Amino acid sequence: MRDEHRELRELLGAFALGHLDPPERDRVRAHLDGCASCRAELAELVPLGRRLSAVDPDALDETPTPPPGLGEAVLARIAAEERRVVPLRRRTAVRHRVALGAAVAGVAAAGAVVGWVARPVPDPVPLEPVAVQAVASDVEARADLVPHTWGVEVRLTGTGFDAGEVYRVAVTADDGREVPAGEFLGVGPQPMRCNLNSSVLRADAVAFEVVDAEGDVVARSEF
Ligand SMILES: [Zn+2]
């Protein structure tokens, strides 16, 4: 009887919709005569079955959207719940309010994170540190190379380039060409950082030089 009850109870939905074949239908009917619990369940299912059979499947949206205002309704319910909780013992009320606040903040944060993840994130720049030998006594410098599709970028950091003096940077290619990568003004003892761009591809670049206004090399790096 109990096994039959469990098995037939799962068929009640199909029974209410008239989807059972005649032998199954007869078994359910026979069981319903002796089982008040299943009769009660069926009484709840029948109106639902009637409403379902009245639905025109062609009239349904393929992607159901939540009704407008659902978000506000949920927040209003949370706020109402919060007001209802406040008159309880104070510590409990505070704890509930903190939990509700955290829940609401969590929902907001989840929204923010989704927005953040959806934005395209640029690839981190692959930096290749290279040593720089200072030829001029007060120059201290180091550099990172950044390979690009259009050539190599030299990110030069240093101090001791004479304030106001123009320095030129050239990248040396493996075939011996010296290709200009740009120029910068020295700022003396202040830390200086500048980005210099050369059309020599990283794979073809073997060195760069920093040359002062007189044409003397003040710093050099060989990769
Ligand atoms: Zn039953």
Side-chain angles (χ1 to χ4, degrees), residues 34-220:
C35 181
S37 162
C38 283
R39 280 201 303 274
E41 173 95 359
L42 181 64
E44 288 182 20
L45 287 174
V46 165
L48 189 63
R50 270 202 295 270
R51 284 170 61 189
L52 278 175
S53 59
V55 170
D56 175 6
D58 293 334
L60 293 175
D61 283 344
E62 283 196 6
T63 51
T65 51
L70 179 63
E72 290 91 300
V74 169
L75 289 177
R77 274 289 287 279
I78 290 174
E81 199 68 14
E82 191 178 2
R83 281 193 297 275
R84 199 179 62 78
V85 163
V86 169
L88 297 179
R89 272 194 309 126
R90 195 158 182 80
R91 284 180 62 174
T92 314
V94 168
R95 208 162 50 227
H96 276 241
R97 286 166 68 179
V98 168
L100 280 165
V104 171
V107 168
V113 165
V114 166
W116 181 78
V117 166
R119 274 207 334 261
V121 177
D123 288 336
V125 177
L127 297 176
E128 178 192 346
V130 290
V132 177
Q133 293 135 21
V135 179
S137 61
D138 42 2
V139 168
E140 276 184 34
R142 58 180 189 79
D144 293 301
L145 304 182
V146 186
H148 293 285
T149 52
W150 42 259
V152 69
E153 174 186 350
V154 177
R155 295 191 176 176
L156 181 67
T157 308
T159 58
F161 296 100
D162 288 344
E165 180 155 358
V166 175
Y167 293 86
R168 293 185 170 81
V169 178
V171 169
T172 308
D174 54 4
D175 60 5
R177 285 177 302 134
E178 302 230 333
V179 180
E183 27 181 76
F184 62 89
L185 273 182
V187 290
Q190 305 298 319
M192 178 217 69
R193 185 190 152 172
C194 78
N195 298 352
L196 303 137
N197 297 321
S198 156
S199 62
V200 181
L201 290 172
R202 171 63 192 95
D204 302 330
V206 294
F208 75 80
E209 284 182 344
V210 182
V211 176
D212 67 14
E214 286 78 46
D216 296 327
V217 174
V218 297
R220 169 185 293 131

Side-chain angles (χ1 to χ4, degrees), residues 1 4-6 8-9 12 31-32 34-39:
M1 176 68 189
E4 188 185 46
H5 169 73
R6 200 172 299 144
L8 294 186
R9 196 167 182 101
L12 286 178
H31 175 76
L32 284 169
C35 181
S37 162
C38 283
R39 280 201 303 274

